[in-house]
Amino acid sequence: MMSYWVLFIGIAVVSWLVQMNLQNKFKKYSKIPTGNGMTGRDVALKMLHDNGIYDVQVTHTPGRLTDHYNPTNKTVNLSEGVYESNSIMAAAVAAHECGHAVQHARMYAPLKMRSALVPVVNFASSIMTWVLLGGILLIESFPQLLLAGIILFAMTTLFSFITLPVEI
């Protein structure tokens, strides 16, 4: 039982370190302007047009690090810190999100698989914690509930691995 806690805490610490590293890089490169003065919006439009994509709209979305490509309505949604900023980080984030639009236009198989799994993973993620907790509490009388929670967790983990080729 102790080894599970060590593993859990180890994974939590590594996750936290990765998150802190990402935030520090975001802060650092948000202060360095692009050489040509292009904003995140400008970079996104140029990348889309350079790839022959004219049916994707670049929009502004509230929040921080809320940038994403939505294949259902063909929009690249850039956060406040990216849309109007002319920083290197804004250009990189905009280009990354447009990369998903390019993948979509070229019918990249891992993106198609990921998009098909999103509803299932969203459902699994929303109930996973409660199923795992119930399984732990009812381990003596209903051990199958814990197994169901582990399967839900495995599904969300598998989704993360499927996402890797899409994000890289």
Side-chain angles (χ1 to χ4, degrees):
M1 184 69 165
M2 182 64 154
S3 62
Y4 291 119
W5 282 109
V6 170
L7 181 63
F8 175 76
I9 291 170
I11 291 171
V13 168
V14 169
S15 297
W16 179 79
L17 289 171
V18 169
Q19 182 80 15
M20 289 299 104
N21 186 34
L22 179 65
Q23 287 181 359
N24 287 337
K25 286 192 185 309
F26 193 87
K27 284 179 191 173
K28 177 182 176 181
Y29 291 105
S30 291
K31 296 174 184 171
I32 303 171
T34 56
N36 57 12
M38 291 178 74
T39 64
R41 179 185 178 277
D42 297 334
V43 169
L45 288 171
K46 179 165 179 23
M47 185 170 170
L48 291 170
H49 295 167
D50 286 353
N51 283 279
I53 301 170
Y54 296 93
D55 61 343
V56 173
Q57 185 179 11
V58 178
T59 65
H60 180 270
T61 187
R64 185 170 182 257
L65 298 178
T66 53
D67 312 274
H68 64 282
Y69 170 65
N70 186 336
T72 57
N73 64 4
K74 291 190 172 187
T75 57
V76 172
N77 302 281
L78 301 177
S79 63
E80 296 166 350
V82 172
Y83 188 83
E84 294 177 1
S85 172
N86 69 341
S87 70
I88 291 173
M89 183 55 70
V93 170
H96 172 87
E97 297 308 330
C98 287
H100 295 308
V102 172
Q103 290 172 334
H104 185 231
R106 295 185 180 159
M107 294 183 261
Y108 184 56
L111 179 67
K112 287 173 66 174
M113 185 187 324
R114 177 182 183 250
S115 297
L117 290 173
V118 165
V120 175
V121 171
N122 283 343
F123 173 74
S125 296
S126 70
I127 67 166
M128 174 184 63
T129 303
W130 297 109
V131 173
L132 283 169
L133 182 60
I136 291 168
L137 294 174
L138 301 171
I139 190 75
E140 295 297 324
S141 60
F142 190 29
Q144 297 86 352
L145 189 59
L146 183 58
L147 178 60
I150 292 169
I151 290 169
L152 290 171
F153 182 75
M155 287 174 55
T156 60
T157 303
L158 177 63
F159 181 75
S160 296
F161 284 111
I162 290 170
T163 297
L164 284 176
V166 173
E167 291 300 326
I168 293 173

